[in-house]
Amino acid sequence: MAFHPPSNALSIKTFEHPKSSKTMLDLKLIRENAAEVEKALARRNGQFSVAELVKVDQRFRDLQTQWELLNQRTNEISELFKTGKADKSQIEQLRAESKELKGKREEIEKEKVALEEELDSLRLGIPNLPHDSVPDGKDETGNVEIKTWGKIPAISNPKHHWELGTELDVFDFERGVKIAESRFTVLMEMGAKMERALMNFMLDLHSKRGYREVFPPILVNRDCLIGTGQLPKFGEDLYKCAEDDLFLVPTAEVPVTNLYRDEILEEEQLTINHCAYTPNFRREAGAAGKDTRGYIRQHQFNKVELVKFCVPEKSFDELEALTLDAEAILEALELPYRRALLCAGDMGFTSQKTFDIEVWFPAQDKYREISSCSNFGDYQARRANLRYRPADGGKPRFLHTLNGSGLAIGRTLAAILENYQQTDGSVKIPKALQPYLGGLTELRPKKDSVKV
RNA sequence: GGAGAGGUGGCUGAGUGGUCGAAAGCGGCUUCCUGCUAAGAAGUUGUACGGUCAAAAGCUGUACCGAGGGUUCGAAUCCCUCCCUCUCCGCCA
């Protein structure tokens, strides 16, 4: 696998000086570089075109100009009234003209509103541009392995985590289904404790490394989801509380990135680092039949998330730092992993560049994703109106956002079970986690215990 | 859930239907003064989208005082609807 170093072809840097808010990509940039934008989008999996957008935008701007001219005349008329310059003979005529102008304006406004809606929906439907350093590729086969860490354990006939977990009284899959539906699992005694221990361990480690811990709401409003990019396109994967128009978070990325929505931060405050634990809820709409066994793909799962807000110039350095911070958890737990650079076709909608961290699953004999670390550039910042005032006092600029799992807790638990399994069916506890479990060193099946 | 108050620029906070993009203060920026990590003086300081310009500056047009409607030649200011915030009461972990 080849490593693709950053190139400087179509410079994503030109996106750093946005002029308008509430767009995902800078409209001006799209207008002026439509061909290059098309080309960058073509690298993604799926059909995205800006041609229609450019057309609607042009029509909208024409109308805008007409509308402004009508307003200008209206203002002139009222100026005549104000200054008393209008002849008495003219007054009635001016009143009539103004009314007529209003009628014309209303006509234009009708079309404008319709066009604006269309424009918004077109804009929100266009994904972020893959960075130049992102390799081409249609799907995960195009991803590039960047590094591997740790020694893959030699286990003969490794058991799957769901087998180990059931024997060790960690998971109760059947009762999870009874209580909710499929893809819901009950964590029994040691499972519950392990999950809680992992949560605390991860938050503590990240806190030590400079992330400020937050615990946000787990129900969020529509604006948040538009801000981070889940809406309007990916609503089918969300759980919704229809009566309140609130949604269960699919990731802590949503509430944490929206912490500073519509705010102007000071450059001195950046980089802001947050870590947050939340449960996450996903309908897994497109995942029918995938990972139906085990604890890998649940409708509800726990995760610690890392989120960064930084100045545009630093975001790629911060992406590396963030990825290392996520990897630090796996290294502390001594779980073998690799890092992959996602190709353009496999990247998330909002991302400019993404590293996946994949942990080794012995029974599956492969690496599975446990974290996804992305630089979004100013894409989310535009949608969520996240800005900062430069230290030199200039105009507010959009900042850059990043996030990554640090880590998915359920998958970490599953990975521990598999990688730390012993031939006698017991599972050792990683040293780093033992203090969080009262010094416990292993999980052992209770032969004499009756399954309650 | 009941009653009341309120939503104005980066922040605090004035604002009689036209002189308000909006007083004042704070903060920011620039300059001056002062020999000391301070204080003072003056000026300046919203955002977005257009036009002019090679470009920037400048000039200029339009919009924006919670959102959306209405009245009016003209609305931050009057009317209606909605949203949100705060205070008191009730209820509750």
Side-chain angles (χ1 to χ4, degrees), chain A residues 60-250:
Chain A
F60 176 78
R61 291 166 69 217
D62 290 347
L63 282 177
Q64 180 72 22
T65 306
Q66 287 178 36
W67 182 79
E68 285 184 2
L69 287 172
L70 293 173
N71 263 328
Q72 192 174 348
R73 178 59 188 154
T74 304
N75 289 342
E76 280 168 20
I77 291 174
S78 67
E79 188 71 16
L80 291 176
F81 275 87
K82 188 165 72 181
T83 55
K85 274 186 191 162
D87 262 281
K88 276 182 188 160
S89 60
Q90 288 182 312
I91 283 183
E92 280 318 306
Q93 197 192 326
L94 288 172
R95 283 212 169 111
E97 185 184 349
S98 189
K99 292 233 178 200
E100 192 190 331
L101 287 169
K102 187 179 182 184
K104 283 186 189 166
R105 246 189 355 244
E106 277 168 358
E107 257 177 60
I108 290 178
E109 272 162 17
K110 254 173 103 180
E111 194 183 348
K112 245 180 69 176
V113 167
L115 280 178
E116 195 159 25
E117 272 172 27
E118 197 183 343
L119 205 53
D120 278 348
S121 89
L122 285 170
R123 274 185 206 161
L124 291 172
I126 291 180
N128 204 347
L129 301 180
H131 190 256
D132 292 335
S133 61
V134 169
D136 286 329
K138 281 201 306 251
D139 50 36
E140 72 272 8
T141 60
N143 297 344
V144 176
E145 183 177 287
I146 299 292
K147 73 172 190 186
T148 61
W149 184 95
K151 203 173 143 200
I152 287 174
I155 307 170
S156 56
N157 298 317
K159 287 183 179 172
H160 283 283
H161 70 271
W162 58 82
E163 300 171 289
L164 292 157
T166 304
E167 290 161 14
L168 293 167
D169 204 19
V170 164
F171 302 125
D172 190 329
F173 293 107
E174 289 80 4
R175 287 182 174 126
V177 176
K178 175 169 71 181
I179 292 168
E181 59 169 1
S182 68
R183 292 197 197 278
F184 284 89
T185 300
V186 182
L187 289 165
M188 300 306 281
E189 187 175 357
M190 287 322 295
K193 288 187 189 303
M194 291 272 287
E195 190 97 355
R196 183 156 58 86
L198 283 166
M199 184 192 303
N200 285 328
F201 164 68
M202 291 180 191
L203 287 170
D204 285 350
L205 188 69
H206 293 312
S207 293
K208 274 183 215 148
R209 292 172 74 101
Y211 289 82
R212 190 164 164 222
E213 187 172 335
V214 293
F215 188 62
I218 292 158
L219 286 172
V220 295
N221 59 36
R222 192 171 284 277
D223 287 343
C224 288
L225 290 152
I226 289 172
T228 36
Q230 284 78 15
L231 288 178
K233 270 202 105 160
F234 306 102
E236 72 280 358
D237 209 38
L238 299 169
Y239 285 100
K240 181 179 179 187
C241 304
E243 287 205 8
D244 305 288
D245 206 30
L246 291 170
F247 301 78
L248 285 159
V249 297

Side-chain angles (χ1 to χ4, degrees), chain A residues 347-360:
Chain A
M347 269 197 331
F349 186 77
T350 49
S351 177
Q352 206 169 72
K353 180 172 184 171
T354 298
F355 291 117
D356 268 8
I357 302 170
E358 302 171 337
V359 69
W360 180 252

Side-chain angles (χ1 to χ4, degrees), chain A residues 177-324:
Chain A
V177 176
K178 175 169 71 181
I179 292 168
E181 59 169 1
S182 68
R183 292 197 197 278
F184 284 89
T185 300
V186 182
L187 289 165
M188 300 306 281
E189 187 175 357
M190 287 322 295
K193 288 187 189 303
M194 291 272 287
E195 190 97 355
R196 183 156 58 86
L198 283 166
M199 184 192 303
N200 285 328
F201 164 68
M202 291 180 191
L203 287 170
D204 285 350
L205 188 69
H206 293 312
S207 293
K208 274 183 215 148
R209 292 172 74 101
Y211 289 82
R212 190 164 164 222
E213 187 172 335
V214 293
F215 188 62
I218 292 158
L219 286 172
V220 295
N221 59 36
R222 192 171 284 277
D223 287 343
C224 288
L225 290 152
I226 289 172
T228 36
Q230 284 78 15
L231 288 178
K233 270 202 105 160
F234 306 102
E236 72 280 358
D237 209 38
L238 299 169
Y239 285 100
K240 181 179 179 187
C241 304
E243 287 205 8
D244 305 288
D245 206 30
L246 291 170
F247 301 78
L248 285 159
V249 297
T251 158
E253 162 191 355
V254 176
V256 178
T257 305
N258 278 280
L259 266 179
Y260 308 109
R261 172 154 48 88
D262 294 321
E263 291 186 29
I264 299 176
L265 304 171
E266 296 300 327
E267 179 167 352
E268 291 76 21
Q269 295 174 263
L270 305 175
T271 299
I272 294 175
N273 300 304
H274 282 304
C275 61
Y277 154 78
T278 65
N280 302 278
F281 302 88
R282 297 184 186 177
R283 297 184 61 232
E284 295 293 339
K290 262 191 205 169
D291 300 311
T292 48
R293 298 201 69 174
Y295 198 49
I296 296 288
R297 195 175 298 277
Q298 299 282 298
H299 287 310
Q300 174 186 330
F301 64 98
N302 295 309
K303 179 159 62 70
V304 169
E305 187 77 1
L306 303 174
V307 178
K308 282 177 181 278
F309 303 83
C310 70
V311 297
E313 292 75 15
K314 281 194 190 160
S315 64
F316 283 98
D317 291 339
E318 293 286 7
L319 175 61
E320 179 62 23
L322 183 138
T323 309
L324 289 172

Side-chain angles (χ1 to χ4, degrees), chain A residues 356-387:
Chain A
D356 268 8
I357 302 170
E358 302 171 337
V359 69
W360 180 252
F361 274 84
Q364 295 188 31
D365 195 34
K366 63 178 173 189
Y367 289 101
R368 298 295 310 265
E369 177 188 339
I370 197 162
S371 173
S372 198
C373 302
S374 303
N375 180 7
F376 303 97
D378 64 15
Y379 186 92
Q380 289 182 328
R382 285 172 186 284
R383 294 174 73 119
N385 196 23
L386 296 163
R387 295 178 295 167

